[in-house]
Amino acid sequence: MCRRPDRLSHWNDGSGMLSAKEIRSGFIDFFREREHTFVPSAPIVPHGDETLLFTNAGMNQFKDIFLGLTSPQWRSAVNSQKCLRVSGKHNDLEEVGKDTYHHTFFEMLGNWSFDDYFKAETIAWAWELLTKVWGIDPDHLWATVFAGDAADGLPADDEAAKLWTKVTPIPAERVLAFGKKANFWEMGDTGPCGPCSELHIDLGPQACDKQGVPGHQCQVNGDCARYIELWNLVFIQYNRQSSGRLVPLAAHYVDTGAGLERVTAVLQGKGSNYDTDLFMPIIRRTSELSKHTYTSQLGNKTDNAFRVIADHIRTLVFAITDGATPSNDGRGYVIRRILRRAARFGRELDMHEPFLYRLIPVVIEVLGEAFPEIGERAAHVSTVVEAEEASFGRTLDRGLEIFTGAADRAGKGSDKTISGDDAFQLYDTYGFPLDLTQLMAQERGLKVDTSRFAELMEQQRQRARAAQKSDSLLANLTDSELPATQDVHKYHADSCQATLLGWIDAEGFKKTGNVPADTEVGLVLDKTCFYAEAGGQVGDCGVIAADGNEFIVVSTAKIANCVVHRGELAQGTLSAGQQVTATVSPDRNAVKKNHTATHLLQWALQQVLGKSVSQQGSYVGPDYLRFDFTYPKAPTKEELKRVEQLVREKIAADLPVTWKVMPKDEAQKLGAMALFGEKYGNEVRVVAVGADSSEQLGEAFSREFCGGTHVARLGTIGGFKITKEESISAGVRRITALTGAKLNELLEQAGDIVDQLSALLQVPADKLPERVSQLMDENKKLAKELKSAAKAGGPDTLSEARDLLDGCEKVAEASIIVGRLASTSIERAREAVDMLKKKAGSAAIVLGFEDNGKATLLAGVTDDLVKQGLKAGDVIKEIAPIVEGGGGGRPQMAQAGGKNPAKLDDALAQARMLVKAKLGSA
């Protein structure tokens, strides 16, 4: 039950304050008591919505309802939605840490009406919750309404303005009207939209952070922290068409949002969101780790670092939990940027070793009760964060050196600007996101040439896109244009009769005429037996035919509820309205085997490696299956053998596979596994392995939410073999495997190879491992003998090196020893470099030699010269391309190999120039 005090004073004096947990549950309970259905938060990583990098508002999961694509399952709803705003127009990343209220991750408390109630109830309930339940002084609250917009022909929202003074005691002078920017909400360039009404709170003159600024005036929707928005009430009553015209909607919706962090700060009497119980446990733990003290001051580099780290670790925990993985593109790059920003701010607190993963248990302690998934996937998140932070740490210090050099050059220039080329090198070589370089530049009073950086980035993108083709077939479609397809036949038939409703080409959906020839289109039928690509399973291919006319389907996709059969007309003509026969390719049978095998594989992995194994993704095609799963290390050969054995035992038992559509809650009670982060409706399809019928799913050993196609009995799969196991990112492994006919092909090829080797080595097949091992031992012995002979009778590498030392140049006290050796080994060349360092005392050494038609370069630098900025790795990177090779290494020792030994002398000459230039300038 909600607390219902007559009037609480704790909202601004800190006494008897509510916890964030109580505030969240109080909000949800308040609306539950008013017949709202609690709808769990959608994942922060949207599934099935490629228009969004991350869920950035509470309404995202209800978008299809607002667009009219699906019917609402509830008349009204309430939840606390996980949100992340780090891209596009909703990007708060740069402001985090600088003030008291900006965040990347936050919770959005919200209530929704789907043509149930509208403005009067929304306004009255918002006022009641804030003033009567939470006890906020009503004299400190202000309301805003939409003032209208002449360009759009929109009148002022007088209805809301009148309701504020009618259903609440707020006086008319504290109901202010604002324009479209502040008080009109739109989903995008097109779609549902409407006026909004906001509740703001006056925190008093002491909260103003612009005191003393000439011309500043504290006011609602101003630019200081005195008046802050608490709750936005959106009244969706229009639809913006592609022409820009606004048309009234037949149904009215309500979408409200109140940031939990901001509400908590107000109710706990805190001047900063970071001082609430949502952040302070994280900050205290960071203080323990760093031995620095947080003082809650703005403009303080140390305190800024505490706030950034506390914000960013929350983001990392939730995003990685919900399926994001650090990478170099898309949402993966956003997560990598955030992690690297946090790691760099750790340097402000003198933390040079990975530390972020040590904050994860605190985040779970604070938020795990409301979002249990972060506790369930804690081990995976910790593995990913620690590995990523350690990887960045290895390049961060070197990158900071490069930045320092770039900043020093910029400081000497007239425009005080770090070049775009330097910024790009920091990004491309050392993993510094541009915003991190800009932040460090800002701290030194410098700018960054972002135009040149953007130019270099675009060149890189163009190179990456050069070999890719764009898909324009579906580009001009909107979901609402397409009819729904009945596709239940995909589960029990390989062929069905249907009506051709039309087709899709680059111009859109066509309902009349003949299907065009010699071009790819997408046919739309009223019903189909084709499976549309989803859940990792490829879309079916096959034929759609009528009266000798054929359309070859090469892939099948789904847009909303419409199945699109992509391909080309191969023979004759087909017309809209014609009766056709849709027939799926026999490849479907191989796909079924592989899909059921992935279910067996996941079950077996959990039996062998533990229940922490969780699916991260999959590919199910006719040729092979691929399964990605969470696990912190590589499974052993013995563990993988046991996995294979368990899967094969189940296949040999020829157990039945069945399925049933049931309420999601019932499926979860049965223990059916869901793909983590996937969005499911109220009803789900559960595929069960080992149950005799759909009424006995509890007997199955494997139960999963799954919409894919499967075999009826396991014996049909025919066999199972893991062909590859690998790491694809920190904490995520990948298994590739074969079944059925493709497995038989592999076994036949392996048998042929065994027969050939057996004949070649003249031993029985079962003796091959022993014979090959014997040959390898003999080969190692011969190689060792050859090396010894080369040392005894070949040129004396150390003598050659001593000769180079005797005739070398000097800069000050440093010897520049550069020369070519007769053919030798890399080991002997390293010995020569070490010997020269000891004899010379202070030296820069670059040696080159030819071995088996390849060029080898080796550089060594003594510690005193390294301190002067001369590094072996830098020299090698500069000269290796001359011999058509590459390499690197430590500042004291580095090496490279190349394909062109004829250029060795050129490379050594360049090395000599580089070393002399560096030592001369030093």
Side-chain angles (χ1 to χ4, degrees):
M1 294 292 291
C2 297
R3 299 183 179 199
R4 293 183 179 275
D6 292 332
R7 181 66 50 81
L8 297 179
S9 61
H10 64 240
W11 71 273
N12 64 1
D13 71 5
S15 62
M17 63 185 181
L18 294 168
S19 68
K21 289 180 182 179
E22 291 173 310
I23 294 167
R24 183 193 297 109
S25 61
F27 182 93
I28 292 168
D29 289 345
F30 178 87
F31 285 101
R32 272 179 158 169
E33 290 168 5
R34 287 152 184 79
E35 299 182 352
H36 287 60
T37 301
F38 173 71
V39 179
S41 171
I44 209 169
V45 177
H47 293 266
D49 186 352
E50 296 306 316
T51 65
L52 276 178
L53 275 181
F54 298 99
T55 299
N56 59 16
M59 57 72 57
N60 290 158
Q61 69 170 312
F62 304 118
K63 188 168 78 169
D64 285 353
I65 297 174
F66 295 147
L67 288 170
L69 297 174
T70 59
S71 299
Q73 302 170 30
W74 328 272
R75 297 297 302 275
S76 53
V78 61
N79 83 352
S80 182
Q81 173 62 50
K82 303 175 287 188
C83 296
L84 184 55
R85 291 186 176 176
V86 286
S87 58
K89 67 176 183 178
H90 297 300
N91 186 354
D92 296 333
L93 182 61
E94 300 303 322
E95 303 306 317
V96 171
K98 297 178 183 178
D99 59 27
T100 61
Y101 52 87
H102 275 102
H103 306 293
T104 51
F105 170 84
F106 64 96
E107 288 182 60
M108 184 70 85
L109 302 171
N111 60 289
W112 289 269
S113 166
F114 306 111
D115 207 25
D116 183 16
Y117 59 86
F118 204 40
K119 295 180 183 179
E121 296 91 339
T122 305
I123 291 170
W125 285 337
W127 186 267
E128 180 184 356
L129 178 58
L130 291 179
T131 62
K132 295 182 180 178
V133 176
W134 285 338
I136 293 177
D137 187 340
D139 292 339
H140 289 261
L141 293 176
W142 294 67
T144 65
V145 296
F146 180 50
D149 187 87
D152 270 333
L154 287 170
D157 192 359
D158 294 332
E159 179 187 5
K162 290 175 182 176
L163 283 169
W164 275 111
T165 56
K166 178 181 178 182
V167 302
T168 80
I170 194 171
E173 59 267 24
R174 293 213 310 274
V175 180
L176 309 178
F178 289 89
K180 191 172 168 182
K181 182 178 179 181
N183 281 80
F184 194 85
W185 177 87
E186 301 198 55
M187 182 185 294
D189 294 334
T190 61
C193 53
C196 58
S197 194
E198 296 176 339
L199 271 164
H200 296 250
I201 187 168
D202 178 3
L203 297 176
Q206 75 284 352
C208 176
D209 54 357
K210 297 291 177 68
Q211 292 181 16
V213 176
H216 172 72
Q217 183 178 353
C218 296
Q219 59 187 348
V220 173
N221 280 334
D223 61 349
C224 76
R226 174 176 173 176
Y227 293 90
I228 66 168
E229 175 198 329
L230 274 186
W231 203 341
N232 188 14
L233 317 176
V234 180
F235 307 119
I236 302 174
Q237 58 191 90
Y238 300 102
N239 182 50
R240 188 177 291 279
Q241 298 179 333
S242 56
S243 64
R245 182 167 169 261
L246 289 168
V247 178
L249 290 169
H252 288 170
Y253 305 108
V254 171
D255 166 17
T256 85
L260 174 66
E261 292 76 9
R262 193 170 287 188
V263 171
T264 300
V266 169
L267 294 181
Q268 293 183 357
K270 304 296 184 183
S272 166
N273 294 359
Y274 292 95
D275 293 344
T276 68
D277 60 348
L278 287 167
F279 291 92
M280 280 309 299
I282 305 170
I283 289 173
R284 281 193 292 268
R285 178 60 176 145
T286 306
S287 179
E288 291 171 7
L289 294 173
S290 67
K291 310 303 181 188
H292 283 259
T293 302
Y294 179 65
T295 62
S296 194
Q297 300 298 308
L298 296 179
N300 177 313
K301 285 180 70 173
T302 300
D303 283 356
N304 285 1
F306 274 107
R307 286 187 287 269
V308 170
I309 290 166
D311 172 89
H312 286 11
I313 189 60
R314 290 175 12 127
T315 294
L316 293 169
V317 168
F318 278 92
I320 296 170
T321 290
D322 283 357
T325 301
S327 67
N328 284 329
D329 54 67
R331 58 175 64 106
Y333 179 59
V334 173
I335 297 305
R336 177 164 281 169
R337 282 173 62 201
I338 290 170
L339 190 149
R340 292 181 173 185
R341 285 184 100 248
R344 186 262 168 182
F345 274 97
R347 296 297 202 273
E348 299 284 355
L349 303 180
D350 298 317
M351 292 191 286
H352 293 267
E353 297 300 320
F355 68 93
L356 290 169
Y357 74 100
R358 299 173 71 179
L359 300 175
I360 292 170
V362 191
V363 178
I364 295 168
E365 180 184 325
V366 174
L367 296 164
E369 184 178 320
F371 304 102
E373 62 270 20
I374 64 175
E376 294 165 3
R377 302 205 7 128
H380 168 64
V381 175
S382 183
T383 298
V384 172
V385 170
E386 184 180 8
E388 181 72 14
E389 191 178 2
S391 173
F392 183 48
R394 287 191 287 272
T395 61
L396 178 56
D397 289 328
R398 175 60 181 144
L400 289 172
E401 288 180 25
I402 299 297
F403 171 81
T404 299
D408 289 344
R409 288 191 294 276
K412 295 173 184 175
S414 58
D415 58 355
K416 307 297 182 186
T417 301
I418 292 175
S419 74
D421 294 78
D422 283 337
F424 185 76
Q425 182 194 11
L426 283 165
Y427 161 79
D428 196 42
T429 306
Y430 298 101
F432 276 46
L434 176 61
D435 52 2
L436 181 55
T437 301
Q438 288 176 299
L439 178 68
M440 294 190 297
Q442 188 180 37
E443 291 172 353
R444 288 171 170 247
L446 303 172
K447 297 178 291 184
V448 178
D449 184 355
T450 55
S451 297
R452 173 59 178 164
F453 178 88
E455 181 184 326
L456 293 168
M457 279 294 293
E458 183 56 31
Q459 290 174 11
Q460 188 182 71
R461 290 190 191 102
Q462 287 176 0
R463 288 192 294 270
R465 289 193 298 254
Q468 297 179 355
K469 295 181 179 179
S470 63
D471 180 4
S472 61
L473 183 60
L474 309 180
N476 295 318
L477 283 174
T478 60
D479 299 349
S480 56
E481 289 183 60
L482 302 175
T485 309
Q486 185 189 98
D487 65 347
V488 293
H489 303 286
K490 64 191 177 189
Y491 294 126
H492 53 75
D494 291 332
S495 182
C496 72
Q497 303 298 308
T499 301
L500 175 57
L501 300 181
W503 67 92
I504 299 164
D505 59 20
E507 296 176 356
F509 180 50
K510 307 292 179 61
K511 302 178 185 178
T512 59
N514 294 331
V515 175
D518 302 322
T519 185
E520 184 189 19
V521 297
L523 297 193
V524 177
L525 312 177
D526 65 332
K527 53 180 164 292
T528 186
C529 54
F530 280 66
Y531 180 86
E533 181 176 348
Q537 180 175 329
V538 298
D540 283 333
C541 53
V543 176
I544 295 173
D547 303 323
N549 306 299
E550 286 190 351
F551 181 91
I552 305 299
V553 179
V554 295
S555 67
T556 309
K558 200 169 190 178
I559 303 175
N561 294 316
C562 179
V563 176
V564 181
H565 308 77
R566 301 183 62 158
E568 288 191 18
L569 192 65
Q571 185 174 314
T573 59
L574 291 174
S575 306
Q578 190 171 3
Q579 297 299 301
V580 296
T581 301
T583 305
V584 177
S585 162
D587 281 349
R588 154 83 71 83
N589 294 323
V591 174
K592 286 181 179 180
K593 294 174 183 179
N594 283 335
H595 201 153
T596 305
T598 63
H599 287 221
L600 297 180
L601 176 57
Q602 177 161 227
W603 166 81
L605 284 168
Q606 291 187 340
Q607 300 303 303
V608 176
L609 304 180
K611 295 296 182 183
S612 63
V613 166
S614 175
Q615 181 177 349
Q616 285 293 102
S618 66
Y619 168 84
V620 179
D623 295 333
Y624 65 94
L625 67 93
R626 194 174 63 215
F627 187 79
D628 301 341
F629 61 98
T630 57
Y631 199 62
K633 58 184 179 180
T636 64
K637 289 182 180 179
E638 292 71 23
E639 287 170 334
L640 291 176
K641 276 190 173 181
R642 179 60 181 150
V643 167
E644 284 183 325
Q645 182 184 358
L646 288 174
V647 173
R648 290 168 183 161
E649 286 174 359
K650 294 299 183 184
I651 292 172
D654 194 26
L655 298 171
V657 180
T658 188
W659 58 271
K660 183 179 182 179
V661 175
M662 62 175 66
K664 183 171 71 173
D665 292 345
E666 185 181 329
Q668 288 171 330
K669 287 176 185 174
L670 273 174
M673 285 189 294
L675 178 59
F676 191 85
E678 189 59 83
K679 185 177 176 182
Y680 297 99
N682 277 352
E683 287 199 331
V684 295
R685 182 174 183 261
V686 175
V687 173
V689 184
D692 288 327
S693 74
S694 60
E695 303 306 316
Q696 298 172 303
L697 298 189
E699 299 176 359
F701 67 87
S702 167
R703 294 177 293 273
E704 292 190 35
F705 290 22
C706 182
T709 57
H710 291 270
V711 298
R713 300 195 70 88
L714 296 183
T716 313
I717 297 173
F720 178 83
K721 173 67 178 173
I722 293 174
T723 58
K724 191 175 186 181
E725 193 283 329
E726 59 189 320
S727 169
I728 58 169
S729 65
V732 181
R733 313 294 304 180
R734 169 173 289 171
I735 282 178
T736 305
L738 299 178
T739 69
K742 289 297 179 182
L743 174 56
N744 289 338
E745 288 179 18
L746 176 70
L747 295 177
E748 286 178 12
Q749 291 171 4
D752 290 343
I753 292 170
V754 169
D755 290 344
Q756 291 171 26
L757 287 173
S758 186
L760 189 64
L761 300 176
Q762 297 183 342
V763 294
D766 61 338
K767 298 291 184 182
L768 278 174
E770 181 183 337
R771 179 60 179 142
V772 170
S773 179
Q774 182 183 20
L775 288 172
M776 290 177 69
D777 289 341
E778 291 173 1
N779 188 56
K780 287 177 185 176
K781 184 179 177 183
L782 286 170
K784 189 176 289 187
E785 290 173 356
L786 285 170
K787 189 173 287 187
S788 298
K791 285 183 180 180
D796 186 342
T797 301
L798 296 182
S799 293
E800 286 185 283
R802 278 191 288 269
D803 291 342
L804 291 173
L805 174 60
D806 292 340
C808 74
E809 294 182 65
K810 282 200 170 191
V811 174
E813 296 301 315
S815 298
I816 302 175
I817 307 167
V818 180
R820 184 165 178 165
L821 302 174
S823 184
T824 185
S825 67
I826 190 66
E827 292 83 5
R828 295 289 283 169
R830 282 180 175 276
E831 289 175 18
V833 170
D834 290 338
M835 179 271 291
L836 289 171
K837 282 184 178 181
K838 288 176 184 175
K839 283 190 172 292
S842 176
I845 305 150
V846 185
L847 304 177
F849 61 92
E850 181 180 352
D851 186 29
N852 293 324
K854 300 288 179 67
T856 299
L857 292 164
L858 201 64
V861 179
T862 52
D863 288 337
D864 62 314
L865 300 185
V866 170
K867 289 176 182 176
Q868 293 183 38
L870 179 62
K871 296 184 171 110
D874 293 347
V875 173
I876 285 293
K877 284 179 182 176
E878 285 282 345
I879 65 174
I882 298 173
V883 293
E884 299 177 27
R890 296 177 294 107
Q892 293 82 5
M893 180 76 81
Q895 72 179 66
K899 296 184 291 185
N900 191 352
K903 293 285 186 179
L904 266 173
D905 292 336
D906 294 342
L908 292 169
Q910 179 66 18
R912 187 185 301 277
M913 288 174 55
L914 285 170
V915 171
K916 288 170 68 176
K918 186 68 178 178
L919 294 180
S921 63

